[in-house]
Amino acid sequence: MRLLVTGGAGFIGANFVHQTVAVRPDVHVTVLDKLTYAGNRASLDPIVDRIEFVHGDIADTALVDRLVGGVDAVVHFAAESHNDNSLADPWPFVQTNIVGTYSLLQAVRHHEVRYHHISTDEVYGDLDLDDGRFSEHTAYNPSSPYSASKASSDMLVRAWVRSFGVRATLSNCSNNYGPYQHVEKFIPRQITNLIDGIRPRLYGTGHQVRDWIHVDDHNSAVWKILERGRIGQTYLIGADGERDNKSVIGLILESFGRPADDYDHVTDRPGHDLRYAIDSTLLRTELGWEPKYPDFREGLAATIGWYRENESWWRPQKAATENAYSAAGEKVL
Ligand code: NAD
Ligand code: TDX
């Protein structure tokens, strides 16, 4: 099988390529990545000889058409992915997440290539603390420019399935954690702050809940859906990992031997979603998927270990990321 992986130099895409090379040596992987601030070729260094890397933009229709013409399937991870950035400047989110997805859909339509679309639970908006969980039937209600752009891209995929017969599946996953995640994101930011002797930074009250899943579990689900998912179907991916932000910071502090309240409150995110939670029954019952890393504490400890051991990977981004947060007006309260 020949597979095109967009965004393969980003967090989840790079882990997907690592997993694919390790467990499916019969698959030939081509990565297409623009190498934005979030893309890092070093994430693919250990397997660089086993894949093909193309530096380019998913919105480049001629390039995308040529690459899609040479593969059997596309898995589309590439995106602008950070909510805070989408509040500071929404345009790249519209361009990459919407126009870029359009470009891929036209190419898979033209070449009749199988397509899997990676999306997020944030398209459903947020839940109250005592609500149930998101399912495949929950109505779309995105809050931020990021989640609205992802919701838009999902809608394009559904329309291309129905109107043009494109053989696509979709998945909407909860918050991922693990190796190779950019230091702008919540968990790596706090780990690397602590390595640098800076107190962790909690937005608002910290009562917001995220449903954490190890990135390898997300990616094993993507493979199940790519191989056995029903065309046109959306699958929700989650590992029953609900935790509030304050308790996640508490666990990280504990592993650094610091008191659970040794953090700073900083300016809250405008429009901050309160809670995400996934009901992954369909994925589990129909495709037989199970997470391999159901214990968040263990997965988090391994992730902290990875950041401690791989400072050369994250160090080049750290200062610029913290400067960007300050420039955006983040203040210790
Ligand atoms: P990331 O920001 O770490 O990586 C995104 C990658 O896409 C980078 O390598 C970047 O260079 C590349 N890219 C950006 N614009 C591009 C363009 N125009 N053309 C080609 N490449 C481009 O993101 P991530 O966290 O790995 O997320 C991957 C996907 O998973 C996204 O679609 C995101 O919406 C989705 N998702 C993420 C999470 C999460 O917790 N991180 C959860 C659910 C879904
Ligand atoms: O320094 C911080 N302090 C803090 O309290 C940061 C960076 C975040 N937070 C909070 C905001 C959120 O409630 O932590 C939570 C997680 O924040 P992010 O890592 O920015 O993730 P989130 O906004 O939940 O979105 C993530 O999950 C869904 C990914 O970035 C998205 O790409 C994915 O779709």
Side-chain angles (χ1 to χ4, degrees), residues 10-12 33-34 36 39 57-58 77 81 96 119 146 150 176:
F11 164 46
I12 306 174
D33 199 293
K34 189 178 174 181
T36 67
D57 191 329
I58 54 166
F77 291 95
S81 70
T96 285
S119 193
Y146 162 68
K150 292 298 292 187
N176 286 220

Side-chain angles (χ1 to χ4, degrees), residues 12 79-84 119-123 146-147 150 173-176 181 183-190 193 200-204 206 208-210 212 245-246 249 264 266-269 272-274 276 322 325 330:
I12 306 174
E80 286 292 337
S81 70
H82 194 39
N83 275 299
D84 292 324
S119 193
T120 169
D121 57 0
E122 296 191 23
V123 299
Y146 162 68
S147 50
K150 292 298 292 187
C173 187
S174 60
N175 284 60
N176 286 220
Q181 185 168 31
V183 291
E184 71 189 351
K185 300 298 197 304
F186 178 54
I187 288 178
R189 187 182 186 200
Q190 315 313 334
N193 274 355
R201 304 199 139 195
L202 190 63
Y203 292 176
Q208 290 78 11
V209 172
R210 298 294 183 262
W212 294 101
N245 294 339
K246 200 171 156 175
I249 281 193
D264 286 325
V266 294
T267 326
D268 204 358
R269 173 184 287 172
H272 197 171
D273 279 342
L274 177 59
Y276 308 136
E322 289 306 313
Y325 275 118
E330 183 178 280

